[in-house]
């Protein structure tokens, strides 16, 4: 990462009006006879020059590119003076390095950084690009710019009764890396990850389905690397996929996929993806289909039957807390996961751990709504088929059925019974620790 301020050597010899380099003195190493600034030529203020430590080579002359550092206590005036420089024409031979791309960043401590980029002989300054969070965040776009990777350390408060990260922690990290990806490519940072056209048309993205599979839960202080990317999904929406890895050994510990649709923020009605919107975000998507779940008939594609009133387990009267509301003033997607698990029987929570969860979002939940959570055991057709081939016909328990459980879920409004969310979970026996 570049230092607090890096700028090309002899930056005071730049014509601000024409953006062309000014002819240097006959002897660039002679500090006692610098050329006087001509009218219209940029000359750094004396205070700025005093804060720049300019190395003077005795012999031979300095390298073709000198990086100068501005001390952290530089004033805003210093930065403003330097930020006036723009290199718009081909630079003088020997002034810039021969490599294709170099980056020069200029930022005071109190403002977002300005970024000067040198690429293919051109350079420019982009004031306000990036932030302190961008520089500290352990994430960035991949080399092709079509996906985003970020690393996270599991915190102690993100660990549950199993001494591993909870599924809510995993879901929050997926949401975080997705938002950071959208922000890194220039989408809106207001919580909706919207494009310019979407904001003009008052459109936002809303989640239609979320499918998460976790093969190994990370523990406290483990480092997880998450890669995410988005793609088109028909004419009515888009999809976002994730792959989770143990950063220590590169092992895939989870996968996830989601479907998103566009909704008018005022009418709350769904709307087809406009071609202009599609053009704005598809340039950041893989050119060919890339799926986190490429397998045929994988769990993310299975339909979820609606659970009727005769549920085996229930938890009634759940009320959204203020902390459950996100920046968009409705219940956050991750909160639904916690509500679904509230109606799970305790013996399953004690002996099993969640392996897969699929949620279909049907209705928004507001802060004053009261929610009922219903759950029932769902026989797995695949396991039943295996049992029949083994000659048991499902009449007796087997190790396969003992180590595996599957449930259907329903979240509904307590008053009128309107469906908020339906889901399916799959559970495996907890490993011996």
């Amino acid at each position: 990462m570049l230092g607090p301020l890096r700028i090309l050597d002899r930056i005071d010899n730049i014509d601000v009006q024409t953006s062309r380099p000014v002819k240097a003195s006959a002897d660039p190493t002679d500090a006692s006879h610098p050329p006087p600034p001509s009218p219209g030529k940029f000359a750094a203020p004396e205070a700025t020059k005093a804060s720049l430590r300019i190395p003077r080579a005795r012999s031979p002359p300095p390298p073709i590119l000198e990086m100068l550092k501005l001390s952290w206590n530089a004033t805003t005036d210093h930065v403003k003076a330097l930020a006036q420089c723009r290199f718009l024409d081909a630079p003088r031979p020997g002034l810039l390095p021969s490599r294709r791309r170099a980056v020069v960043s200029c930022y005071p401590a109190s403002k977002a950084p300005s970024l000067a980029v040198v690429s293919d002989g051109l350079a420019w300054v982009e004031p306000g690009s990036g932030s302190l969070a961008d520089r500290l965040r352990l994430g960035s776009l991949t080399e092709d710019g079509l996906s985003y990777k970020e690393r996270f350390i599991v915190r102690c408060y993100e660990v549950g009764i199993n001494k591993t990260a909870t599924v809510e922690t995993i879901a929050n990290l997926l949401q975080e890396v997705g938002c950071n990806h959208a922000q890194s490519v220039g989408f809106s940072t207001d919580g909706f990850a919207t494009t310019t056209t979407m904001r003009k048309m008052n459109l936002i993205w809303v989640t239609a389905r979320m499918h998460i599979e976790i093969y190994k839960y990370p523990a406290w202080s483990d480092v997880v690397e998450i890669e995410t990317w988005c793609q088109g999904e028909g004419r009515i929406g888009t999809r976002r996929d994730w792959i989770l890895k143990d950063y220590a050994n590169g092992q895939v510990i989870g996968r996830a996929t989601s479907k998103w649709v566009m909704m008018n923020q005022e009418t709350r009605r769904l709307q087809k993806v406009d071609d202009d919107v599609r053009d704005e975000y598809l340039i950041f998507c893989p050119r060919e289909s890339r799926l986190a779940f490429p397998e045929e008939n994988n769990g993310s594609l299975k339909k979820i039957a609606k659970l009727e009133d005769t549920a085996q387990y229930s938890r009634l009267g759940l009320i959204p807390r203020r902390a459950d509301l996100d920046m968009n003033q409705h219940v956050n997607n991750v909160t639904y996961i916690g509500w679904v698990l509230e109606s799970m029987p305790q013996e399953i929570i004690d002996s099993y751990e969640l392996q897969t969860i699929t949620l279909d979002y049907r209705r928004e939940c507001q802060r004053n709504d009261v929610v009922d959570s219903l759950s029932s055991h769902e026989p797995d057709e695949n396991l039943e088929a295996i049992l029949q081939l083994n000659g048991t016909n499902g009449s007796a328990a087997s190790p396969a059925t003992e180590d595996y459980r599957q449930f259907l879920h329903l979240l509904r409004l307590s008053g009128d019974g309107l469906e908020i969310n339906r889901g399916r979970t799959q559970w495996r026996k907890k490993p011996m620790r």
Side-chain angles (χ1 to χ4, degrees), residues 2 6-11 55 61-68 87 91-99 101-104 118 123:
L2 297 172
R6 295 187 177 178
I7 187 164
L8 299 178
D9 189 24
R10 305 188 64 78
I11 197 169
I64 57 176
L65 178 66
E66 291 286 352
M67 306 303 290
L68 308 183
F87 306 87
R92 180 180 61 193
L95 180 61
L96 298 181
S98 58
R99 62 177 117 177
R101 182 179 177 87
V103 179
V104 182
V118 180

Side-chain angles (χ1 to χ4, degrees), residues 8 54 67-68 81 83-84 114 129 164 205 239 241 262 270 311 333 378 411 423:
L8 299 178
I54 306 179
M67 306 303 290
L68 308 183
Q84 298 177 36
S114 300
S129 57
T164 57
W205 294 111
R239 66 178 291 153
D241 289 23
M262 278 202 320
L270 301 184
N333 297 334
E378 180 189 32
L411 295 179

Side-chain angles (χ1 to χ4, degrees), residues 167-177 332 334:
V167 64
E168 291 97 330
T169 293
I170 299 297
N172 276 320
L173 292 181
L174 298 180
Q175 185 170 270
E176 174 72 8
V177 73
N332 188 274
V334 179

Side-chain angles (χ1 to χ4, degrees), residues 1 103 105-117 125-137 183-186 189:
M1 179 178 293
V103 179
S105 65
C106 314
Y107 50 86
S110 60
K111 293 188 177 183
S114 300
L115 184 67
V117 181
V125 177
E126 299 175 353
S129 57
S131 65
L132 177 60
D134 292 332
R135 301 195 298 275
L136 297 179
R137 185 178 290 124
Q183 184 177 357
S184 70
V185 298
T189 59

Side-chain angles (χ1 to χ4, degrees), residues 12-31:
D12 53 326
N13 292 337
I14 298 297
D15 189 330
V16 179
Q17 296 179 351
T18 65
S19 301
R20 298 180 182 276
V22 180
K23 184 175 180 181
S25 60
D27 185 1
T29 64
D30 186 1

Side-chain angles (χ1 to χ4, degrees), residues 291-342:
L291 305 177
F293 298 94
E295 305 88 350
E296 294 184 6
N297 301 321
N298 64 80
S300 69
L301 303 176
K302 293 182 179 180
K303 291 185 177 180
I304 303 175
K306 182 179 179 180
L307 183 62
E308 301 301 333
D309 290 338
T310 55
Q312 294 174 296
Y313 311 98
S314 63
R315 178 71 182 273
L316 308 180
L318 298 172
I319 301 175
R321 304 173 305 160
R322 291 187 178 93
D324 294 328
L325 303 179
D326 59 19
M327 65 182 76
N328 304 324
Q329 298 300 313
H330 63 254
V331 175
N332 188 274
N333 297 334
V334 179
T335 300
Y336 296 107
I337 296 178
W339 284 348
V340 163
L341 301 182
E342 280 297 311

Side-chain angles (χ1 to χ4, degrees), residues 166-384:
T166 64
V167 64
E168 291 97 330
T169 293
I170 299 297
N172 276 320
L173 292 181
L174 298 180
Q175 185 170 270
E176 174 72 8
V177 73
C179 290
N180 291 342
H181 178 208
Q183 184 177 357
S184 70
V185 298
F187 291 169
S188 169
T189 59
D190 62 358
F192 296 107
T194 52
T195 67
T196 301
T197 302
M198 290 180 65
R199 290 192 291 276
K200 291 179 180 178
M201 301 175 65
N202 207 27
L203 300 174
I204 59 174
W205 294 111
V206 293
T207 312
R209 168 172 272 219
M210 173 70 75
H211 178 82
I212 304 173
E213 294 185 7
I214 305 173
Y215 313 125
K216 179 185 177 182
Y217 282 88
W220 176 23
S221 296
D222 283 354
V223 180
V224 179
E225 181 182 71
I226 304 178
E227 180 180 9
T228 186
W229 63 95
C230 57
Q231 297 173 102
E233 182 77 6
R235 298 294 302 176
I236 61 173
T238 185
R239 66 178 291 153
R240 177 175 288 279
D241 289 23
W242 297 265
I243 292 180
L244 299 85
K245 293 183 179 181
D246 184 333
Y247 188 67
N249 54 29
Q251 176 187 4
V252 175
I253 60 174
R255 295 182 293 173
T257 186
S258 60
K259 294 183 179 180
W260 301 72
V261 293
M262 278 202 320
M263 183 177 73
N264 187 290
Q265 190 174 359
E266 292 183 351
T267 65
R268 315 309 286 182
R269 293 184 177 182
L270 301 184
Q271 183 166 328
K272 289 185 178 180
V273 180
D274 185 88
D275 287 338
D276 292 337
V277 175
R278 191 180 303 276
D279 292 341
E280 285 177 323
Y281 76 82
L282 283 182
I283 60 174
F284 302 109
C285 301
R287 305 296 181 259
E288 299 180 358
S289 178
R290 182 189 177 192
L291 305 177
F293 298 94
E295 305 88 350
E296 294 184 6
N297 301 321
N298 64 80
S300 69
L301 303 176
K302 293 182 179 180
K303 291 185 177 180
I304 303 175
K306 182 179 179 180
L307 183 62
E308 301 301 333
D309 290 338
T310 55
Q312 294 174 296
Y313 311 98
S314 63
R315 178 71 182 273
L316 308 180
L318 298 172
I319 301 175
R321 304 173 305 160
R322 291 187 178 93
D324 294 328
L325 303 179
D326 59 19
M327 65 182 76
N328 304 324
Q329 298 300 313
H330 63 254
V331 175
N332 188 274
N333 297 334
V334 179
T335 300
Y336 296 107
I337 296 178
W339 284 348
V340 163
L341 301 182
E342 280 297 311
S343 59
M344 285 296 297
Q346 189 61 43
E347 57 266 24
I348 297 296
I349 299 296
D350 292 340
S351 302
Y352 293 78
E353 66 180 8
L354 183 64
Q355 174 176 295
T356 302
I357 183 168
T358 309
L359 297 178
D360 283 341
Y361 296 88
R362 302 302 182 96
R363 185 183 304 275
E364 289 183 291
C365 184
Q366 308 298 330
R367 62 175 301 176
N368 295 323
D369 291 334
V370 181
V371 178
D372 293 340
S373 175
L374 309 177
S375 297
S376 286
H377 178 263
E378 180 189 32
D380 189 321
E381 297 177 357
N382 295 328
L383 281 179
E384 294 294 336

